[in-house]
Amino acid sequence: ENVIGGPIPPSIGSMVRLEVLVVSKNNLSGPLPAELFGLTELVELILDENALTGTVAPELGNLRNLEYLRLDTNQFDGALPSTIGNLVNAIMLRFDENKLTSTLPDTIGNLQACEEFRVDENEMSGSIPTTIGLMKNVVEFRLDGEGREDGMEGNNFQGTIPTEVGTMESLAYFYVNDNSINGTIPTELALAQDLQLLYLYNNPELTGTVPTQLASLSSLESLFLDGTNLQGEVPAEICAIRAPEDSEAGLVELTADCLDEPPGSAKLKCSCCSECFEAAEQPAVVTPSTPAPGSTEPVTAAINGTTINATSVTDKELPVVSEPTSAPAPPPTIDIGAVLDSAVDEAFQDQSSLNMLLDEAIQDASLKDLILNASPDSMAALSDANSPQFKALVWLSDDPNLDSYDDQRKIDRFSLASFYLSSTP
């Protein structure tokens, strides 16, 4: 973690060859500048856990080379643009823990390289697009709508679970809990043979019976059905795949509204559930947690305040966000703080050296002209000796290796320095 704060400066648009930008867990604020969407060489854009605001602009779709995008845990609002369908190379797309509204665009079906897609902990609604069936490589798909501690209500997706979910052949983690899903559980879910966690709980309008076909899911570890309006009896075939006590092989967690107190009150009979709940208008609150990709920590679920250790994922490495082994190594991450901290401190260690460097920067007309040509908006800032841009120019002009840099590298280093100096108290 660093202490970079304030808005992302428009001058970042000068870094036209930038491939990786990672500024997680800081205090960036304000909207994403339009200039950011001109960085079409970006492969990784990681801005999670900041205080960024505004909408997710349609121009995001310009970044067609993106493989990893994390905008989660910010304060973005508005709709998710349909142009996210342009991100056909994306492996990870995380928009969770924001304030997004509106619906999921049909264009998510274009995201056929995506392995992790998350919009949980927002305020989205509408139906689940049938085009999700085209997401053949998605491993983790999260739409869960549980409210947050800050009072935000959470997602409220409606409609049925599309039968096309059965064609999501890599799907392992499917979260649609705490929404208003209606209709029945599609038998086509049994076609997703890699499915491990299926969270359907707290959808009071989910009706019908539990499909026997789910017993064919040999990898299934957690099946949460409580807080629904399912009726009948959990099939014996599903009970047959329940893990023995103290075992992590098979179906470890199975929950339903099967508490028969008083006798005859249970909506769904279950002779093998790990936890039974009382049928009620207000379903039991179940808060699951997902292990981080590659983690050996077991999944837990807090059910009415009681924590249950759950799954057998401890022996399985999750491929959700790991880059395929056949892919080339990602480009090195630009660590703004590491690049600039020592150099800036040295350049501005005393006022006399600063004054001397200011004079040198003013005299270096060719460098100043280069920066102005690349970023005309910097004219006013470069006339102010107290501005981050002017100080960045001073720092760059004092670089002993300046003559060995090509023009683009000079512009990139100026932009980095401006970004750092404008974001650091």
Side-chain angles (χ1 to χ4, degrees):
E1 295 186 21
N2 297 305
V3 288
I4 299 175
I8 300 173
S11 57
I12 199 169
S14 301
M15 302 164 67
V16 295
R17 295 189 300 190
L18 186 65
E19 295 184 3
V20 178
L21 179 61
V22 179
V23 195
S24 299
K25 300 180 181 179
N26 278 281
N27 197 32
L28 294 177
S29 60
L32 298 177
E35 291 78 3
L36 181 65
F37 304 119
L39 303 179
T40 55
E41 298 299 314
L42 274 176
V43 175
E44 295 187 33
L45 178 59
I46 312 296
L47 301 174
D48 58 298
E49 297 191 45
N50 280 286
L52 295 166
T53 57
T55 61
V56 179
E59 289 76 13
L60 177 67
N62 297 343
L63 306 181
R64 296 172 184 264
N65 288 315
L66 268 185
E67 295 181 7
Y68 297 92
L69 173 65
R70 290 196 61 173
L71 299 180
D72 51 291
T73 319
N74 280 286
Q75 298 175 35
F76 292 111
D77 56 24
L80 199 61
S82 61
T83 52
I84 65 167
N86 296 345
L87 306 180
V88 295
N89 294 305
I91 295 170
M92 175 199 289
L93 291 172
R94 288 193 57 176
F95 302 97
D96 46 298
E97 293 192 56
N98 280 288
K99 299 178 180 179
L100 298 177
T101 56
S102 192
T103 61
L104 272 182
D106 290 339
T107 53
I108 64 172
N110 297 339
L111 305 174
Q112 297 183 29
C114 187
E115 296 178 9
E116 182 177 9
F117 183 84
R118 292 185 58 174
V119 293
D120 50 291
E121 297 196 52
N122 280 286
E123 295 184 315
M124 302 184 71
S125 59
S127 59
I128 303 173
T130 58
T131 52
I132 64 170
L134 300 173
M135 301 176 73
K136 305 294 186 183
N137 289 305
V138 73
V139 176
E140 182 172 3
F141 190 84
R142 295 193 61 165
L143 308 180
D144 37 314
E146 186 177 4
R148 299 204 314 232
E149 292 182 358
D150 61 5
M152 197 180 75
E153 293 185 359
N155 292 332
N156 188 33
F157 286 98
Q158 301 96 29
T160 60
I161 299 172
T163 57
E164 288 80 2
V165 71
T167 64
M168 300 169 75
E169 53 196 42
S170 299
L171 185 64
Y173 308 100
F174 188 56
Y175 298 75
V176 291
N177 53 283
D178 291 284
N179 280 288
S180 295
I181 302 299
N182 58 38
T184 60
I185 301 175
T187 57
E188 288 81 1
L189 271 168
L191 299 175
Q193 282 292 300
D194 289 337
L195 202 57
Q196 296 179 35
L197 308 182
L198 178 55
Y199 289 158
L200 304 178
Y201 64 91
N202 288 356
N203 281 291
E205 299 176 47
L206 191 64
T207 59
T209 59
V210 181
T212 301
Q213 291 87 341
L214 296 183
S216 68
L217 295 171
S218 57
S219 298
L220 191 62
E221 299 167 352
S222 296
L223 175 58
F224 286 176
L225 303 173
D226 56 281
T228 65
N229 198 29
L230 294 169
Q231 312 255 343
E233 187 170 354
V234 173
E237 291 85 351
I238 291 180
C239 285
I241 66 170
R242 276 279 286 125
E245 189 174 352
D246 299 326
S247 173
E248 293 185 349
L251 180 57
V252 177
E253 288 185 299
L254 175 59
T255 69
D257 294 331
C258 51
L259 187 63
D260 199 26
E261 293 181 4
S265 63
K267 288 190 295 185
L268 183 63
K269 296 180 180 179
C270 183
S271 62
C272 61
C273 281
S274 58
E275 190 80 14
C276 280
F277 295 89
E278 181 180 357
E281 291 185 7
Q282 296 299 322
V285 177
V286 183
T287 308
S289 65
T290 304
S295 171
T296 59
E297 292 295 322
V299 171
T300 62
I303 304 178
N304 286 348
T306 301
T307 299
I308 298 175
N309 287 326
T311 70
S312 59
V313 296
T314 54
D315 296 328
K316 295 181 175 64
E317 181 177 352
L318 305 185
V320 176
V321 297
S322 58
E323 196 164 356
T325 55
S326 60
T333 299
I334 297 176
D335 186 335
I336 297 173
V339 170
L340 296 172
D341 273 342
S342 60
V344 171
D345 287 345
E346 181 178 351
F348 298 105
Q349 60 186 343
D350 60 63
Q351 187 63 42
S352 60
S353 62
L354 174 60
N355 290 336
M356 180 178 66
L357 291 171
L358 290 175
D359 291 341
E360 291 176 0
I362 294 170
Q363 293 168 8
D364 192 349
S366 61
L367 179 59
K368 187 174 182 179
D369 290 343
L370 173 67
I371 299 302
L372 286 175
N373 287 333
S375 180
D377 293 341
S378 298
M379 173 69 79
L382 288 177
S383 302
D384 179 2
N386 293 315
S387 71
Q389 291 85 350
F390 195 92
K391 292 180 180 181
L393 180 63
V394 170
W395 168 76
L396 181 59
S397 69
D398 192 48
D399 190 329
N401 299 312
L402 182 64
D403 292 339
S404 67
Y405 301 151
D406 62 22
D407 286 352
Q408 186 57 53
R409 188 172 183 187
K410 292 176 183 177
I411 293 169
D412 288 349
R413 291 175 69 81
F414 169 78
S415 298
L416 274 172
S418 298
F419 184 13
Y420 179 79
L421 291 168
S422 64
S423 305
T424 306

